[in-house]
Amino acid sequence: MEVDTQGEYAGGIYVRWSAPELAEAGMRAVAERQDPAAPEWKQYAEVVRLMQTAMIGILRLAGFPAVRAEEIDDVAEGDVYVHADTPLSS
């Protein structure tokens, strides 16, 4: 997790899921084959996307206003952003 301390959404947090071994295997496959579409990299990207969706669903069910972090910061692809000041209405 990382706290957002600046900007329009200050006070929110970024939540990131990671699987270092899976990411490393994907990066190694891309580097060795010089193929950005290596199956290992595609698998890692798909797992990150699925985990992002799952985390958003879990956080929202718990009452947290969670969104894809790309909506806040295009560099935070795959992360989840939880707004600090916007309560989720049921």
Side-chain angles (χ1 to χ4, degrees), residues 71-89:
E71 294 177 19
I72 306 300
D73 180 355
D74 60 354
V75 178
E77 187 174 346
D79 292 355
V80 173
Y81 191 83
V82 181
H83 293 278
D85 60 352
T86 313
L88 187 63
S89 56

Side-chain angles (χ1 to χ4, degrees), residues 17-46:
W17 175 87
S18 68
E21 293 88 12
L22 189 58
E24 187 178 317
M27 288 186 283
R28 187 173 42 252
V30 168
E32 288 174 0
R33 295 184 214 140
Q34 296 297 306
D35 178 11
E40 295 88 345
W41 182 254
K42 284 184 166 185
Q43 179 187 21
Y44 171 69
E46 180 67 9

